[in-house]
Amino acid sequence: MSTKPDDTLDRPLLARGTRYRWDTVRREHQLVWSESLMVINETGAAIVQLCDGRTFDQLIDALQDRFPDRHTRRQMREHVRWFLLELAERGLLRSGATAHLASSASGMSDATFSAQPSAAIVPSRTRPTPAPPRALLAELTYRCPLRCPYCSNPLQLDRYRRELDTSDWQRVLAEAAALGVVHVHFSGGEPLLRRDLIDLVRHARRHDLYTNLSTSAATADERILTELKSAGLDALQISLLDARPSQNDWLAGVPSFDKKQRTLEAARRLDLPITLNVVLHRHNLDHLASVIELAREWNVDRLELAHVQYVGWAFRNRAALLPTREQVRRAVALVDAARQRPDTPQILHVLPDYFQQYPKACLHGWASTFLTVAPDGAVLPCQAAREIDTLDFPNVCDTSLHDVWYDAPVFNRFRGTDWLPEPCHSCDRREIDFGGCRCQAYLLTGDVQATDPVCHLAPHHDLVEATLRDAATATNEFHYRTMRRSAEAV
């Protein structure tokens, strides 16, 4: 990524899309960025608020004025250097800071400057009462100009034509902030198809929510991005299907590569923080080196490489999407090598469940950290929970987010570990993966309480192995995502 001359320790600056906030629900200082956060204490909060372009010595002067009896100047300089190094290693300082810091930081740590990972990073443990949620996925609409065969939206899209109106969404956002939500991710479908998106971003910012927009970029332009930034949009995530234009357009079902590139260039001119999201599968894994090179060329802040989660349309197209073990192995090695290059953007690599020894926790545990509000107002523990057609989910038109989060039977049903079947209940990993993904377990076994078959210890693990064998000889024919009748535009 490009670096300005003053983007060094001498003038520490927070990275694009990184900001400080005070959490009024948890009464804690937070440093928040796209899709994550870290909890910091009072002194850490003072430091990050001073990372505004002033010199390092000016920052130390200001800290000593505020905390005159805490450290000598020499100690203060060393501790601040250590803390800034921690930020730089997480990609939270402007590019170029890490190398300068590494030669001067002492490696000392001090509780005064500690940075603890949030519950958005570390799985929640069993609690008598659930902790407040950290993140809300606001699926504004299921309408979308693309037809991606790996989409996680429900198959029966025409059943969800009714969308919440602007006032409903504004109430949801206000309730989310009061409940303790930090991040709101506007998604879909394509959220830019909502005519009230700018008003919703502005409303979220008024409630001090960190706003992230996930978009196909097929309907965006510089005017809309300018208005979104003015409304308070914190971060932008743009999807890409492949580094090669023709392959991208084939996977999308419509021409879109050129539109994505133009939108990304406009976002960079506006200095918006950009995550490039690429969903990985059989048809683009062999082009992963080109994807990483394109991310460098486009100068994105983060590259998210997430293997397909087989729910929704992706489950229907599973046989045509599943990669080979060799493709996955090569991808892991390639990403590890790319991360060693200093010009590579920060990479998040989410490995495919079907090839793992153990399952992932379902969003850090069912209803422990995240909640989703669907276009029609249904409140879900995750965006794919409607795959489980034996469960009933509440709706924001009938009840508050607070009552859903704390009292809804479906939210409490799989919280913690008491409900776990064997072998999970006796497993040492029960508070790491919480039995795995409920949607995956249901889709593979028909039993929502079953151990996720991805686990090599699961009674139904043979279902995963059989699926991988069958996929090796499957055709590449897709069932493209379709929405038979478009919902009324809001």
Side-chain angles (χ1 to χ4, degrees):
M1 294 180 288
S2 61
T3 305
K4 298 178 181 178
D6 61 347
D7 285 345
T8 65
L9 179 59
D10 293 329
R11 292 184 182 273
L13 286 166
L14 291 180
R16 282 185 292 263
T18 305
R19 67 178 172 95
Y20 161 81
R21 74 187 294 274
W22 166 252
D23 190 315
T24 58
V25 173
R26 298 173 183 82
R27 310 294 297 174
E28 66 187 23
H29 301 278
Q30 298 168 346
L31 189 60
V32 190
W33 64 99
S34 177
E35 303 188 52
S36 196
L37 64 85
M38 58 192 280
V39 178
I40 55 180
N41 62 21
E42 181 186 8
T43 312
I47 295 171
V48 299
Q49 291 177 86
L50 292 169
C51 291
D52 56 5
R54 70 184 70 203
T55 67
F56 182 79
D57 285 335
Q58 288 170 338
L59 187 154
I60 297 299
D61 289 341
L63 286 173
Q64 287 207 296
D65 287 342
R66 182 166 176 179
F67 307 107
D69 301 322
R70 189 156 295 181
H71 294 288
T72 67
R73 186 176 182 84
R74 181 180 178 280
Q75 289 173 327
M76 181 76 76
R77 289 177 65 89
E78 290 301 316
H79 290 314
V80 172
R81 285 178 186 276
W82 172 85
F83 180 74
L84 292 176
L85 177 58
E86 291 291 306
L87 299 187
E89 289 178 344
R90 292 173 182 260
L92 304 179
L93 289 183
R94 292 291 177 104
S95 179
T98 305
H100 188 95
L101 284 160
S103 63
S104 56
S106 66
M108 295 165 56
S109 64
D110 185 277
T112 303
F113 298 92
S114 66
Q116 307 114 27
S118 73
I121 301 172
V122 177
S124 303
R125 297 296 185 253
T126 304
R127 298 183 177 92
T129 302
R134 294 270 185 187
L136 165 68
L137 177 64
E139 291 188 316
L140 300 182
T141 180
Y142 285 144
R143 292 172 284 138
C144 185
L146 304 190
R147 304 177 59 211
C148 307
Y150 57 76
C151 182
S152 63
N153 285 171
L155 289 176
Q156 303 301 326
L157 290 170
D158 53 308
R159 294 182 182 177
Y160 310 110
R161 296 179 63 222
R162 190 187 73 83
E163 296 177 3
L164 296 178
D165 62 23
T166 304
S167 61
D168 287 330
W169 274 115
Q170 289 176 334
R171 175 174 56 82
V172 167
L173 294 170
E175 290 181 2
L179 189 57
V181 165
V182 177
H183 292 88
V184 57
H185 306 280
F186 291 111
S187 184
E190 175 48 72
L192 282 167
L193 294 178
R194 291 277 302 211
R195 293 197 295 262
D196 59 355
L197 176 60
I198 293 167
D199 290 335
L200 296 180
V201 169
R202 185 178 294 111
H203 191 78
R205 189 57 183 261
R206 287 195 192 112
H207 288 277
D208 199 28
L209 293 166
Y210 187 102
T211 56
N212 187 67
L213 173 64
S214 298
T215 175
S216 69
T219 61
D221 57 34
E222 190 156 353
R223 177 190 62 80
I224 292 173
L225 293 180
T226 300
E227 292 183 21
L228 285 167
K229 183 177 180 180
S230 297
L233 183 69
D234 286 295
L236 184 66
Q237 183 181 93
I238 295 176
S239 67
L240 183 71
L241 289 79
D242 198 286
R244 300 186 303 176
S246 61
Q247 190 81 352
N248 176 94
D249 296 349
W250 169 65
L251 290 165
V254 296
S256 60
F257 183 91
D258 291 342
K259 295 176 182 177
K260 292 174 183 288
Q261 184 173 4
R262 287 196 297 270
T263 298
L264 193 143
E265 290 170 349
R268 179 53 69 233
R269 287 193 294 271
L270 293 169
D271 203 34
L272 279 166
I274 301 169
T275 296
L276 188 65
N277 172 264
V278 183
V279 177
L280 300 176
H281 47 79
R282 178 192 305 174
H283 302 282
N284 62 10
L285 264 175
D286 293 336
H287 312 147
L288 186 52
S290 298
V291 167
I292 296 173
E293 190 57 40
L294 192 63
R296 291 191 188 105
E297 179 185 327
W298 284 356
N299 194 27
V300 302
D301 298 276
R302 291 180 177 86
L303 175 61
E304 182 176 304
L305 302 170
H307 288 255
V308 169
Q309 184 71 21
Y310 293 99
V311 296
W313 292 88
F315 187 75
R316 184 174 185 181
N317 289 297
R318 182 178 57 171
L321 291 169
L322 273 166
T324 66
R325 292 188 185 276
E326 180 58 23
Q327 281 184 303
V328 174
R329 187 197 64 77
R330 288 198 303 266
V332 170
L334 197 153
V335 170
D336 287 346
R339 283 173 168 158
Q340 305 306 311
R341 287 184 53 175
D343 60 340
T344 300
Q346 186 179 21
I347 298 178
L348 172 64
H349 188 199
V350 182
L351 294 171
D353 284 3
Y354 280 42
F355 296 87
Q356 303 305 299
Q357 185 177 18
Y358 298 105
K360 302 180 184 69
C362 180
L363 291 176
H364 305 301
W366 178 275
S368 70
T369 304
F370 295 84
L371 73 162
T372 296
V373 175
D376 62 343
V379 190
L380 314 170
C382 73
Q383 74 269 24
R386 269 183 164 142
E387 297 281 10
I388 309 172
D389 54 17
T390 58
L391 300 180
D392 293 322
F393 298 99
N395 195 291
V396 294
C397 296
D398 306 317
T399 188
S400 69
L401 281 188
H402 178 280
D403 289 348
V404 171
W405 184 255
Y406 289 106
D407 300 326
V410 72
F411 271 63
N412 285 311
R413 181 167 176 178
F414 301 113
R415 276 185 170 134
T417 58
D418 288 346
W419 66 274
L420 288 173
E422 293 294 353
C424 301
H425 197 269
S426 302
C427 182
D428 291 341
R429 293 179 54 85
R430 62 185 175 275
E431 290 192 352
I432 297 174
D433 57 42
F434 301 96
C437 175
R438 294 301 87 217
C439 300
Q440 196 157 257
Y442 181 74
L443 287 169
L444 288 170
T445 72
D447 179 3
V448 68
Q449 295 200 169
T451 299
D452 188 337
V454 162
C455 182
H456 74 290
L457 300 173
H460 298 291
H461 181 65
D462 60 303
L463 296 174
V464 173
E465 295 297 331
T467 298
L468 293 176
R469 287 194 301 270
D470 293 344
T473 57
T475 68
N476 292 332
E477 182 180 356
F478 289 140
H479 298 279
Y480 282 99
R481 178 195 192 276
T482 57
M483 191 169 189
R484 292 188 181 90
R485 295 176 295 172
S486 295
E488 293 296 323
V490 176

